[in-house]
Every structure is written in C-alpha cells, then in structure tokens.
Amino acid sequence: FHHIGPLIWEPSETPPDWLDRLDSERPTVYFSMGSTGLRHYYDLLKEAFGGTRFQVMVTTGGLEAGELPANFFVARMAPGLALTERSDIVICHGGNGTIYQALYHGVPILGMPTFHDQDFNMQRVEDLGLGRTLYPRKATARMLRDCAEGLAADESVRASCRSMMKKVRQADAPAKALSLLESLV
C-alpha cells in the first residue's frame, strides 16, 4: 500500500464559451451533482440564487435542469478545474472528484450528500475546516444561500482551503503513481 494523494479526474471537454464572459467582480458559485443529483436540487438552486448578484455555473452530468435564470450558466459536462478556478464556492454532492477539484483551487465546499460515501467525505471536509454539509431533505433555498454566503465570507475556512490547496498540488499523485508502477516493472 502506498499513499500517493488525490487523482483528479477531468472530462475531455473544452471549457464552455460562457466561462470567459463571467464577471470577475461578482461572486461565483459552481454547482455540480454529477449524475446522482435530483430534480429537487435544481429547483432549490434556482430559488436560492436566481436573479441574485451571484453567477451560478452548473454542470448537469446529463440530468435535466429545466429552465434556468439568466444569471445561470449551464453545461452538460465541463472541465471542473477550469470552473473551480473561477469559483468562490463549490456546491456539490460531496463526491471525491468535485471535492478534489475544489481543493486544487482552494475553494470552500458546501456538500449536499445523498450517498454514504459522500456523507463520509463531507464529514472529513468539515473536520478539516474546508466546508460545510447541508442535508438536501432539510435544506431550504434560504438555508442554501445563507450557507453559501457564509462559507464564501469565512476567512478561517478560506485559509484552511488555501493550506489544503498547497498540499494537494504538492502531492503530484500522477507522478508518484507512475514512479511506483515503473519500479515494479
């Protein structure tokens, strides 16, 4: 057994056209539930952030999001690292992939887990001061927006995320994995 650090998966997609049109002066949320989200998430997101000062980037993973407000930018799939780089907060299901993408850029995480592994991941995120969990069955739009605003403004969380960003980047898991595999051949 060898610990190599996080492997960050990215789809082989180009960044969406709208990424360069985002206003760097406005707060930006990246929302991704992979392919495990529920329609309820999109309704909650629209109610929480529709028509607000926030820019909301959404990757649907192929799920139907319905009609979204003008301050929402949508792609079926997109390279998460490009989106997290432009984000002030990431709202996700708490899956490893999105968590690692957020941490690579030092972005706080608001997790809404629906499966046990996501819940375990978010418990660790909270333990490390990198974000917060909001359970979808109990969440209201107001709770979602308040929690996102609070996390984005919490300097202790942001500092923890910047510290973890350095660790994630220094790990260079692909190079370590390659080196270990080469040593076996």
Side-chain angles (χ1 to χ4, degrees):
F1 173 80
H2 297 275
H3 181 269
I4 60 168
L7 292 169
I8 301 175
W9 179 83
E10 286 273 277
S12 59
E13 305 280 332
T14 57
D17 296 347
W18 45 256
L19 190 59
D20 291 330
R21 295 193 313 264
L22 294 176
D23 182 348
S24 62
E25 300 298 314
R26 291 176 63 192
T28 304
V29 171
Y30 171 34
F31 180 86
S32 176
M33 290 293 164
S35 58
T36 63
L38 305 171
R39 177 96 177 108
H40 168 71
Y41 288 128
Y42 296 112
D43 294 337
L44 190 64
L45 189 70
K46 288 187 267 192
E47 188 179 340
F49 296 104
T52 66
R53 63 191 175 95
F54 286 89
Q55 300 171 112
V56 182
M57 301 181 292
V58 179
T59 54
T60 65
L63 298 174
E64 179 55 45
E67 190 173 331
L68 296 172
N71 61 319
F72 281 51
F73 301 85
V74 181
R76 182 182 172 280
M77 299 276 284
L81 287 174
L83 275 56
T84 55
E85 183 176 25
R86 301 288 302 271
S87 302
D88 296 298
I89 186 163
V90 170
I91 301 174
C92 66
H93 54 18
N96 289 332
T98 313
I99 287 174
Y100 290 150
Q101 291 168 347
L103 295 178
Y104 186 85
H105 287 294
V107 179
I109 302 157
L110 175 53
M112 298 175 68
T114 55
F115 293 105
H116 292 299
D117 64 314
Q118 298 163 351
D119 192 32
F120 299 144
N121 291 343
M122 287 309 303
Q123 287 174 20
R124 188 66 179 143
V125 164
E126 285 190 351
D127 290 346
L128 294 171
L130 305 168
R132 193 164 163 215
T133 304
L134 186 61
Y135 290 96
R137 285 192 171 89
K138 298 177 182 179
T140 65
R142 184 70 186 167
M143 288 168 65
L144 179 60
R145 189 173 58 247
D146 287 349
C147 194
E149 287 177 339
L151 275 175
D154 188 325
E155 189 48 44
S156 68
V157 170
R158 297 195 71 75
S160 294
C161 289
R162 285 189 301 271
S163 175
M164 185 60 72
M165 175 181 73
K166 291 176 187 170
K167 292 175 184 174
V168 167
R169 289 184 178 197
Q170 288 171 350
D172 197 4
K176 284 182 185 173
L178 180 59
S179 177
L180 285 166
L181 289 171
E182 286 176 338
S183 72
L184 296 173
V185 179

Coordinates of all heavy atoms in Angstrom, one line a residue, residues 136-180:
P136 N -29.9 17.7 2.0 CA -30.9 18.2 1.0 C -32.4 18.0 1.4 O -33.2 18.9 1.1 CB -30.6 17.3 -0.3 CG -29.6 16.4 0.1 CD -29.0 16.7 1.4
R137 N -32.7 17.0 2.2 CA -34.1 16.8 2.6 C -34.5 17.9 3.6 O -35.7 18.2 3.8 CB -34.3 15.5 3.2 CG -34.3 14.4 2.1 CD -34.8 13.1 2.6 NE -35.0 12.1 1.6 CZ -34.1 11.3 1.1 NH1 -32.9 11.3 1.6 NH2 -34.4 10.5 0.1
K138 N -33.5 18.5 4.3 CA -33.8 19.5 5.3 C -33.6 20.9 4.8 O -34.0 21.9 5.4 CB -33.0 19.3 6.5 CG -33.2 18.0 7.2 CD -32.3 17.8 8.4 CE -32.6 16.5 9.1 NZ -31.7 16.2 10.2
A139 N -32.9 21.0 3.6 CA -32.5 22.3 3.1 C -33.6 23.1 2.5 O -34.5 22.6 1.8 CB -31.4 22.1 2.1
T140 N -33.6 24.4 2.8 CA -34.5 25.4 2.1 C -33.6 26.3 1.2 O -32.4 26.3 1.4 CB -35.2 26.3 3.1 OG1 -34.3 27.1 3.8 CG2 -36.0 25.4 4.1
A141 N -34.2 27.0 0.3 CA -33.4 27.9 -0.5 C -32.7 28.9 0.3 O -31.5 29.3 0.0 CB -34.3 28.6 -1.6
R142 N -33.4 29.4 1.3 CA -32.7 30.5 2.2 C -31.5 29.9 2.9 O -30.5 30.5 3.0 CB -33.8 31.0 3.2 CG -33.3 32.1 4.1 CD -33.1 33.3 3.2 NE -32.5 34.3 4.0 CZ -32.0 35.4 3.5 NH1 -32.0 35.7 2.3 NH2 -31.4 36.3 4.3
M143 N -31.7 28.6 3.4 CA -30.5 28.0 4.1 C -29.4 27.8 3.1 O -28.2 28.0 3.5 CB -31.0 26.6 4.6 CG -31.9 26.7 5.8 SD -32.7 25.1 6.2 CE -31.3 24.1 6.7
L144 N -29.7 27.4 1.9 CA -28.6 27.2 0.9 C -27.9 28.5 0.6 O -26.6 28.5 0.6 CB -29.2 26.6 -0.4 CG -28.3 26.3 -1.5 CD1 -27.2 25.3 -1.1 CD2 -29.1 25.8 -2.7
R145 N -28.6 29.5 0.3 CA -27.9 30.8 0.0 C -27.2 31.4 1.3 O -26.0 31.8 1.1 CB -28.9 31.9 -0.5 CG -28.2 33.1 -1.0 CD -29.2 34.1 -1.6 NE -30.2 34.6 -0.8 CZ -31.5 34.3 -1.0 NH1 -31.9 33.5 -2.0 NH2 -32.5 34.7 -0.1
D146 N -27.8 31.3 2.4 CA -27.1 31.8 3.6 C -25.8 31.0 3.9 O -24.8 31.6 4.3 CB -28.0 31.7 4.9 CG -29.1 32.7 4.9 OD1 -29.1 33.7 4.0 OD2 -30.0 32.6 5.7
C147 N -25.9 29.7 3.8 CA -24.7 28.8 4.0 C -23.6 29.1 3.0 O -22.5 29.2 3.3 CB -25.2 27.4 3.9 SG -23.9 26.2 4.6
A148 N -24.0 29.3 1.7 CA -23.0 29.6 0.7 C -22.4 30.9 0.9 O -21.1 31.1 0.8 CB -23.7 29.6 -0.7
E149 N -23.2 31.9 1.3 CA -22.6 33.3 1.5 C -21.7 33.3 2.8 O -20.6 33.9 2.8 CB -23.7 34.3 1.8 CG -24.4 34.7 0.5 CD -25.6 35.6 0.7 OE1 -26.2 35.7 1.8 OE2 -26.0 36.3 -0.3
G150 N -22.1 32.5 3.8 CA -21.3 32.4 5.0 C -20.0 31.7 4.7 O -18.9 32.2 5.2
L151 N -20.0 30.7 4.0 CA -18.7 30.0 3.7 C -17.8 30.8 2.8 O -16.6 30.9 3.0 CB -19.0 28.7 2.9 CG -19.3 27.4 3.8 CD1 -19.7 26.3 2.9 CD2 -18.1 27.1 4.6
A152 N -18.4 31.5 1.8 CA -17.5 32.3 0.9 C -16.9 33.5 1.7 O -15.8 33.9 1.3 CB -18.4 32.9 -0.2
A153 N -17.5 33.9 2.8 CA -17.0 35.1 3.5 C -16.2 34.6 4.7 O -15.5 35.5 5.3 CB -18.2 35.9 4.0
D154 N -16.2 33.4 5.1 CA -15.5 32.9 6.3 C -14.0 32.8 6.0 O -13.5 31.8 5.4 CB -16.1 31.5 6.7 CG -15.5 31.1 8.0 OD1 -14.4 31.3 8.4 OD2 -16.3 30.4 8.8
E155 N -13.2 33.7 6.6 CA -11.8 33.7 6.3 C -11.0 32.5 6.9 O -10.1 32.1 6.3 CB -11.1 35.0 6.8 CG -9.7 35.2 6.4 CD -9.4 35.0 4.9 OE1 -10.2 35.5 4.1 OE2 -8.4 34.3 4.6
S156 N -11.5 32.0 8.0 CA -10.8 30.8 8.5 C -11.0 29.6 7.6 O -10.1 28.8 7.4 CB -11.3 30.4 9.9 OG -12.7 30.0 9.9
V157 N -12.2 29.4 7.0 CA -12.4 28.4 6.0 C -11.6 28.6 4.8 O -10.9 27.7 4.3 CB -13.9 28.2 5.7 CG1 -14.1 27.3 4.5 CG2 -14.8 27.8 6.9
R158 N -11.6 29.8 4.3 CA -10.8 30.2 3.1 C -9.3 29.9 3.4 O -8.6 29.4 2.5 CB -11.0 31.6 2.7 CG -12.5 31.8 2.3 CD -12.7 33.1 1.5 NE -12.1 33.0 0.2 CZ -12.6 32.3 -0.8 NH1 -13.8 31.6 -0.7 NH2 -12.1 32.3 -2.0
A159 N -8.8 30.2 4.6 CA -7.4 29.9 4.9 C -7.1 28.4 4.9 O -6.1 28.0 4.4 CB -7.0 30.6 6.2
S160 N -8.0 27.7 5.5 CA -7.9 26.2 5.5 C -7.9 25.7 4.1 O -7.1 24.7 3.8 CB -9.0 25.5 6.3 OG -8.9 25.9 7.7
C161 N -8.7 26.2 3.3 CA -8.7 25.7 1.9 C -7.4 26.1 1.1 O -6.9 25.3 0.3 CB -10.0 26.3 1.1 SG -11.5 25.6 1.7
R162 N -6.9 27.3 1.4 CA -5.6 27.6 0.7 C -4.5 26.7 1.2 O -3.6 26.3 0.4 CB -5.3 29.1 1.0 CG -6.1 30.1 0.2 CD -5.6 31.5 0.3 NE -5.6 32.0 1.7 CZ -6.6 32.6 2.3 NH1 -7.8 32.8 1.7 NH2 -6.5 33.1 3.5
S163 N -4.5 26.4 2.5 CA -3.5 25.5 3.0 C -3.6 24.1 2.4 O -2.6 23.5 2.0 CB -3.6 25.4 4.5 OG -2.8 24.5 5.1
M164 N -4.8 23.6 2.3 CA -5.0 22.3 1.6 C -4.7 22.3 0.2 O -4.2 21.4 -0.4 CB -6.5 21.8 1.9 CG -6.7 20.4 1.3 SD -5.7 19.2 2.1 CE -6.4 19.1 3.7
M165 N -4.9 23.5 -0.5 CA -4.6 23.6 -1.9 C -3.1 23.3 -2.1 O -2.7 22.6 -3.0 CB -4.9 25.0 -2.4 CG -4.5 25.3 -3.8 SD -4.9 27.0 -4.4 CE -3.7 27.9 -3.4
K166 N -2.3 23.9 -1.2 CA -0.8 23.7 -1.3 C -0.5 22.2 -1.2 O 0.3 21.7 -2.0 CB -0.1 24.5 -0.3 CG -0.2 26.0 -0.5 CD 0.5 26.7 0.6 CE 0.3 28.2 0.4 NZ 0.7 29.0 1.6
K167 N -1.1 21.5 -0.3 CA -0.9 20.1 -0.1 C -1.3 19.3 -1.3 O -0.6 18.3 -1.7 CB -1.6 19.6 1.2 CG -1.0 20.2 2.5 CD -1.8 19.8 3.7 CE -1.3 20.4 4.9 NZ -2.1 20.2 6.1
V168 N -2.5 19.6 -1.8 CA -3.0 18.8 -3.0 C -2.1 19.0 -4.2 O -1.7 18.0 -4.8 CB -4.4 19.3 -3.3 CG1 -4.9 18.7 -4.6 CG2 -5.4 18.8 -2.2
R169 N -1.6 20.2 -4.4 CA -0.8 20.5 -5.5 C 0.6 19.9 -5.4 O 1.2 19.4 -6.3 CB -0.7 22.0 -5.8 CG -2.0 22.5 -6.3 CD -1.9 24.0 -6.7 NE -3.1 24.5 -7.2 CZ -3.2 25.6 -7.9 NH1 -2.2 26.4 -8.1 NH2 -4.4 26.0 -8.4
Q170 N 1.1 19.9 -4.1 CA 2.5 19.3 -3.9 C 2.4 17.8 -4.0 O 3.5 17.2 -4.2 CB 3.0 19.7 -2.5 CG 3.4 21.2 -2.5 CD 3.7 21.7 -1.1 OE1 3.5 21.0 -0.1 NE2 4.3 22.9 -1.0
A171 N 1.3 17.2 -3.8 CA 1.2 15.7 -3.8 C 1.6 15.1 -5.1 O 2.3 14.1 -5.1 CB -0.2 15.2 -3.4
D172 N 1.2 15.7 -6.2 CA 1.5 15.2 -7.6 C 1.3 13.7 -7.6 O 2.2 13.0 -8.0 CB 2.9 15.6 -8.0 CG 3.1 15.5 -9.5 OD1 2.1 15.2 -10.2 OD2 4.3 15.7 -9.9
A173 N 0.1 13.3 -7.3 CA -0.3 11.9 -7.3 C 0.0 11.2 -8.6 O 0.5 10.0 -8.6 CB -1.7 11.7 -6.9
P174 N -0.3 11.8 -9.8 CA 0.0 11.0 -11.0 C 1.5 10.7 -11.2 O 1.8 9.5 -11.6 CB -0.4 12.0 -12.1 CG -1.5 12.8 -11.5 CD -1.0 13.0 -10.1
A175 N 2.4 11.6 -10.8 CA 3.8 11.3 -10.9 C 4.2 10.2 -9.9 O 5.0 9.4 -10.3 CB 4.6 12.6 -10.7
K176 N 3.7 10.3 -8.7 CA 4.0 9.3 -7.7 C 3.5 7.9 -8.2 O 4.2 6.9 -8.0 CB 3.4 9.6 -6.4 CG 4.1 10.7 -5.6 CD 3.4 10.9 -4.3 CE 4.1 12.1 -3.6 NZ 3.3 12.5 -2.4
A177 N 2.3 7.8 -8.7 CA 1.8 6.6 -9.2 C 2.6 6.0 -10.3 O 2.9 4.8 -10.3 CB 0.3 6.7 -9.7
L178 N 3.0 6.8 -11.3 CA 3.8 6.4 -12.4 C 5.2 5.9 -11.9 O 5.6 4.8 -12.3 CB 4.1 7.5 -13.4 CG 4.9 7.2 -14.6 CD1 4.3 6.1 -15.4 CD2 5.1 8.4 -15.4
S179 N 5.8 6.6 -10.9 CA 7.1 6.1 -10.4 C 6.9 4.8 -9.7 O 7.8 3.9 -9.9 CB 7.6 7.2 -9.4 OG 8.8 6.8 -8.8
L180 N 5.9 4.6 -8.9 CA 5.7 3.3 -8.3 C 5.5 2.2 -9.3 O 6.0 1.1 -9.1 CB 4.5 3.4 -7.3 CG 4.7 4.2 -6.0 CD1 3.4 4.5 -5.3 CD2 5.7 3.4 -5.1

